[in-house]
Amino acid sequence: MPKVKPHRARPSLDMTPMVDLAFLLVTFFMLISKFAPEEVVVVDTPSSTSDIKLPESDIITITVDKTGRAFYAVGGQQTRLALLDKMAAKYKLNFTAAQKQQFATMESFGVPIEQLQSLLDLSPEERKRAQQPGVPYDSVNNQLGDWIMQTRYSNPKVKIAIKGDNDADVPAIKGVIKTLQDRKVNRFNLITDMEVKPRNL
Amino acid sequence: MAEIQEKGGGGGKGGKKRSKKQSTKIDMTPMVDLGFLLLTFFILTTTFAKPQTMEINMPVKPDKEEEQQALKASNALTLIADENDQLFWYAGLPDAPTAPGMQLTDYSANGLRKILLEKRSNPNLTVLLKQTDKSRYKNMVDMLDEMNITGIRKYAIVDVDPRDTKMITEAKAK
């Protein structure tokens, strides 16, 4: 009787489910990751031990960069459209439909309202390169205050956050805070980075 | 990796040379590698970006000056942020600071925090945060942050007094 040879199969693993899993996860992560909103100006915020998180919606962000320019941003396309109409009425300007559409898609801006139309006429690429002088907030011409007031009229729940650069000078920040206080906004947020809170005091 | 290589299967029998059948199986290992590489990349690059904030409540501006409460000198501590991250401080009120008068410190754990922790025993302690025009926004946040760390609840952001400026100049001249 001949010996029965056991059939030796080469050990192999089918990797297909593994690939499926990996790519499922990849697609999942690709879909949930959001693109960071485009910043007109880059600011480096100071760090603090505060761990309050900023809410996602109903928020006005006032960015103050190194040179003290103020940029205004408010979330929500509908809010922005309503806001622009109100401001246009206040300053007696007429925005075209195309300009309004551009404004609705624009995250933040930093120009006096007189220059806003010419900024909106630019293409997105040109707008990125455009020099924006900042929204004026001095006592004579306080457009920042008007923007804030009109936003609050259209959305009373709105919260205000100041995002200042490390090296922003104090007069600029104080000017923004004074603008808020003059309009009876006494609660606002300062956007900061993370820092570990020391325990052993 | 997944397929273990075997050396020369069933060789040395002589006879007919059978043409070897190529297996139709594809080695999926590189595919897995690629998948997981992308996966790790996406995991690492996604930031659940929700910026932190610090809440500030400014006092409501009283309509009349008389409504303002006077602050007792024994409960007052003034911090003045100045240029180059210098921090001046004194206890008491600007017209009559308690000894040793205006002093210089910094924002480190051994500077400002030590002072605040010493003063914290007074429950009515009110810290006045002032900033000269040459200081940075970071100094303001640092001061507010120290208040948060040391748990001092009563503090206010106020403007620099001319008397403070004078004292700072004197302190710098020393």
Side-chain angles (χ1 to χ4, degrees), chain A residues 50 53 167 186-187 190, chain B residues 52-54 57-58 136 145:
Chain A
S50 170
K53 293 273 180 283
D167 297 316
N186 288 309
R187 292 193 61 157
L190 300 178
Chain B
Q52 317 266 72
T53 70
M54 198 189 239
N57 290 328
M58 297 295 271
R136 298 193 299 162
D145 203 28

Side-chain angles (χ1 to χ4, degrees), chain A residues 24 35 70 108 130 132 153 171 177:
Chain A
L24 181 85
F35 285 107
S108 70
Q132 303 197 21
Y153 289 143
I177 291 178

Side-chain angles (χ1 to χ4, degrees), chain A residues 5 8-16 18-19 21-23 25-26 29-30 32-34 45-56 159 161-171 173-174 177-178 181-182 184-195 197-198 201, chain B residues 1-6 13 25-29 31-32 34-40 42-43 46-61 63 113 117 120 129-142 144-145 148-151 157-160:
Chain A
K5 270 194 194 150
R8 283 245 174 94
R10 288 165 57 204
S12 75
L13 271 176
D14 187 11
M15 281 283 181
T16 326
M18 195 85 156
V19 177
L21 176 75
F23 276 92
L25 288 169
V26 169
F29 272 97
M30 273 169 85
I32 63 157
S33 61
K34 270 190 305 203
T45 53
S47 57
S48 83
T49 58
S50 170
D51 51 4
I52 306 165
K53 293 273 180 283
L54 197 67
E56 289 274 330
K159 282 194 173 136
I162 298 177
K163 188 175 180 183
D165 190 279
N166 266 330
D167 297 316
D169 60 345
V170 170
I173 298 278
K174 278 204 170 157
I177 291 178
K178 190 174 174 304
Q181 278 191 288
D182 289 348
K184 305 243 182 324
V185 181
N186 288 309
R187 292 193 61 157
F188 48 86
N189 296 309
L190 300 178
I191 297 182
T192 53
D193 283 349
M194 286 242 338
E195 191 182 304
K197 194 168 183 170
L201 291 177
Chain B
M1 262 194 273
E3 309 270 344
I4 291 170
Q5 299 291 328
E6 260 190 16
K13 268 253 169 110
K25 275 190 180 160
I26 305 168
D27 186 8
M28 282 277 192
T29 324
M31 194 84 160
V32 178
L34 176 75
F36 276 98
L37 181 84
L38 287 170
L39 180 62
T40 37
F42 273 102
I43 289 179
T46 28
T47 42
F48 297 99
K50 276 187 97 179
Q52 317 266 72
T53 70
M54 198 189 239
E55 286 197 335
I56 289 191
N57 290 328
M58 297 295 271
V60 179
K61 277 195 179 160
D63 298 332
R113 198 170 304 163
L117 289 173
R120 199 167 58 167
L129 307 175
K130 301 182 183 181
Q131 297 206 278
T132 62
D133 287 351
K134 288 175 186 159
S135 59
R136 298 193 299 162
Y137 169 65
K138 185 182 192 315
N139 305 151
M140 182 167 154
V141 174
D142 280 347
L144 291 166
D145 203 28
N148 182 9
I149 292 168
T150 52
I157 299 172
V158 285
D159 287 330
V160 178

